[in-house]
Structure formats: C-alpha cells, structure tokens
Amino acid sequence: MTRIEQFGWRGPVEPGVGRVVSAHGDYYHLVCNERPSGEVLARKKKSAFTRMKTVAPDSMKGAKRSEAALAAPPTPITGDFVRFRYNAQGDSMILEVLPRLSHFERKDPTARRTSQTLAVNFDTLFLMMSLNENFSTARVERYLALAGDMGDAEAVVVVTKMDLREEGDGEYLDALAETVGGKARILHISARTGEGMDAVLEYARPGRTVAFIGSSGVGKSTLLNTLAGEEWAATQEIQEWSGKGRHTTTSRELVMLPSGAMVIDTPGIREIGIMGEADAVQAKGVSTHRWRK
Ligand SMILES: Nc1nc2c(ncn2[C@@H]2O[C@H](COP(=O)(O)OP(=O)(O)O)[C@@H](O)[C@H]2O)c(=O)[nH]1
Ligand SMILES: [Mg+2]
C-alpha cells in the first residue's frame, strides 16, 4: 500500500493526491506519495480558490454576495483529500479539494454566516459527551440531526468519563438510550479505567478515519492520547513545553494511530462556538447541569 492509501485514499493512485493532516495559517501539511518521507508543505494556489472575487465584485452587497460566496470552491481543511502540484524546490500548490465522502457541519441558526465544516472524510463520527455536567440528551439530539446529511459514514454516540458514574445515573443513561433509539450505537467509555475501549477499537481499523466531535473538556484529546499511545502523548507534551504547542487542540489535526487508523481531533465546540449553545443557555439562566435539566 502506498502512503496515501494508508491515509484512507480509496480512489485511483495518481500523482498529486494528498491528504491534509494539519493546517498552519497559509500552509497545509499534506501526506502523499510524492516524497520518500511522504510529507509535503503546500499552499493554496490563489487563483484556484478566489473564484468568489470574479463572481462577486466588491460592489455586490448583502445576500447576493453571500450567494456568490456559497458558490466558491471549498477551502481545504484537515481531513480533506486534495489535488496538488508538487514542487521539489519550493512551495507545492493545492489546486483543488477533492469531493468529500462525508462532512459534519455546524449550521448557524442566525443564518448570518454560512455553515462551518467541522470534520470531513471520516468513516465514523464520535459524538462525544461526558457523564458529568456536560451530559445533555438534547445536545445529542442536535448532533444527530446535524449528522443526518453527513454522507457515507456512521455516527456513534460516546459517553465518556464513565468512571465518574454515581448512583442514579442509570436513569440518565436510559433516557439517552431512549432518545437515540436505533439511530446510533451508544458506547460507554472511560479513559481512566479502560472501560469500553474494546468497542472503540472496533472503529480504529487500518485506513479508517474517526472524527471526534464534542464540547471542550469531554475527553477527546485524552481518548486520542490513549489510542495513540504513551509515546505519542509524551512527544506532544515536550512540544508544548518547548512552546511549539502542537497539540493544544486549537485547530483540527489528523493523527495516524499505531493501529493504522486515523483520528481527527477537533477543537472544543466552545472554542469554535457551535450554535452559540453555551452562551444561549447561560443567558437564559438555565444550568446545563444534568441534575437541573
Ligand atoms: N474522570 C475522568 N476524567 C477524564 C477522562 N477523560 C478525560 N478526562 C479529563 O477531562 C479533562 C478534559 O480532557 P480533554 O481530553 O482535554 O478534553 P477535550 O477538550 O475534549 O480534548 C482532563 O482533565 C482529563 O484528564 C475519563 O475517562 N475520566
Ligand atoms: Mg482537546
């Protein structure tokens, strides 16, 4: 298998196909077959991504302009497969985002902005929430509604921090199971005790991609660290100490696991402001705490 196939590419293996594993400002870190190392830094070819300018001149305002913006080609994000022009001497250039097999989007309820794509090209979508103050069956319902048109992938609801289970929690877990019904499988896990890890590993198959979605603090990075192994987690810590902070999860990152599966860890929903949810709830003076729901 070539490198790009290992990273989940299932199309014809042609030169110039890469997968975005991280984005740093104007630069995209791609994995591909073009180099022995399999890694390349690339930029977007400007003219390939600025169609909006020709469709929507500066004089165009308001709704018309956002319509034109919608028609603009998608900007690459972590997880995307792209077509690029390799340049051994200088910057390689991304020419095009290849069709996404799956995508999870947050839709702005105020419709003032276009939707925000949180993850792409995953086989499994982990909709994560923890068994403490973050627990909300209503949120899971919203997640599942958003996942309704995600394309060719499976959504799985993951309840994290099961080690924090208290007496009476069975009721909440039952309510969740009832809400989810047959729409998704529900996993109960704990990174601390290892509960449920066998079930998680069923999705961590070679060449498969799992995307983690959930509020900040639910345990996404911890699960990733557990799956990637202590060695990987230690490297991340060193990088944070040295000030490079590669894994503070301020942006999406695609990580290859020792099993050959990949994880896309997304920043906490709070940071990316999904649906302004936390703010809205707080503004109403309603606690998100499960006991007072
Ligand atoms: N008790 C318990 N705490 C956990 C578990 N997983 C993560 N945490 C803690 O929850 C906090 C947030 O975890 P993190 O992985 O950074 O969350 P993220 O924001 O979703 O990436 C950290 O203090 C973790 O140690 C778990 O399974 N059990
Ligand atoms: Mg994190």
Side-chain angles (χ1 to χ4, degrees):
M1 254 208 283
T2 68
R3 186 148 171 94
I4 191 70
E5 288 170 297
Q6 285 169 351
F7 272 83
W9 175 246
R10 288 160 212 160
V13 179
E14 293 161 355
V17 175
R19 189 167 200 190
V20 179
V21 294
S22 59
H24 314 271
D26 286 345
Y27 282 88
Y28 294 85
H29 187 172
L30 306 183
V31 289
C32 58
N33 295 335
E34 314 328 280
R35 253 195 199 151
S37 73
E39 301 195 0
V40 141
L41 268 187
R43 286 189 298 139
K44 282 181 293 184
K45 185 176 192 295
K46 272 227 178 82
S47 61
F49 289 92
T50 48
R51 198 177 301 159
M52 184 184 148
K53 270 219 172 106
T54 55
V55 180
D58 286 344
S59 58
M60 198 186 266
K61 292 264 147 60
K64 263 208 168 138
R65 192 173 174 88
S66 46
E67 242 173 69
L70 275 179
T75 283
I77 67 167
T78 297
D80 263 323
F81 291 102
V82 296
R83 193 169 298 288
F84 73 105
R85 193 170 60 221
Y86 177 58
N87 181 350
Q89 264 78 48
D91 287 342
S92 295
M93 287 291 169
I94 296 176
L95 308 174
E96 177 190 11
V97 172
L98 294 167
R100 293 166 172 167
L101 303 173
S102 58
H103 55 97
F104 184 76
E105 268 147 51
R106 130 186 209 263
K107 289 177 187 96
D108 191 337
T110 65
R112 240 175 270 132
R113 283 183 293 155
T114 51
S115 63
Q116 182 187 12
T117 307
L118 300 182
V120 294
N121 295 327
F122 46 84
D123 299 286
T124 312
L125 185 69
F126 273 12
L127 299 170
M128 299 171 68
M129 99 180 150
S130 57
L131 189 60
N132 55 1
E133 66 283 348
N134 179 250
F135 196 90
S136 157
T137 49
R139 185 186 307 103
V140 169
E141 262 186 305
R142 284 197 293 275
Y143 283 169
L144 285 172
L146 287 174
D149 60 355
M150 68 181 170
D152 191 12
E154 180 187 358
V156 175
V157 174
V158 180
V159 181
T160 62
K161 308 194 190 180
M162 283 299 288
D163 55 286
L164 298 179
R165 183 173 179 155
E166 289 165 12
E167 222 174 298
D169 282 357
E171 210 181 293
Y172 295 98
L173 294 171
D174 288 348
L176 174 68
E178 200 172 306
T179 303
V180 173
K183 282 179 279 203
R185 186 180 175 193
I186 304 175
L187 306 185
H188 301 100
I189 72 164
S190 164
R192 209 144 281 181
T193 64
E195 177 180 348
M197 285 304 149
D198 290 352
V200 168
L201 289 174
E202 286 174 34
Y203 300 95
R205 300 238 179 85
R208 302 271 138 179
T209 303
V210 183
F212 292 175
I213 297 287
S215 310
S216 181
V218 300
K220 298 182 298 296
S221 297
T222 304
L223 179 60
L224 171 57
N225 288 340
T226 306
L227 294 171
E230 278 168 25
E231 213 172 292
W232 182 83
T235 337
Q236 301 307 313
E237 259 167 47
I238 289 163
Q239 276 168 339
E240 273 173 40
W241 273 106
S242 69
K244 290 188 189 116
R246 205 168 85 87
H247 200 255
T248 44
T249 334
T250 49
S251 62
R252 276 171 296 253
E253 185 172 17
L254 185 143
V255 176
M256 175 60 82
L257 304 180
S259 70
M262 289 146 281
V263 167
I264 297 175
D265 188 14
T266 60
I269 296 283
R270 189 89 57 84
E271 288 102 293
I272 45 185
I274 194 167
M275 301 180 242
E277 171 188 290
D279 301 341
V281 171
Q282 239 121 58
K284 278 192 228 130
V286 182
S287 170
T288 50
H289 196 281
R290 63 188 151 124
W291 308 121
R292 288 180 228 141
K293 205 163 41 94

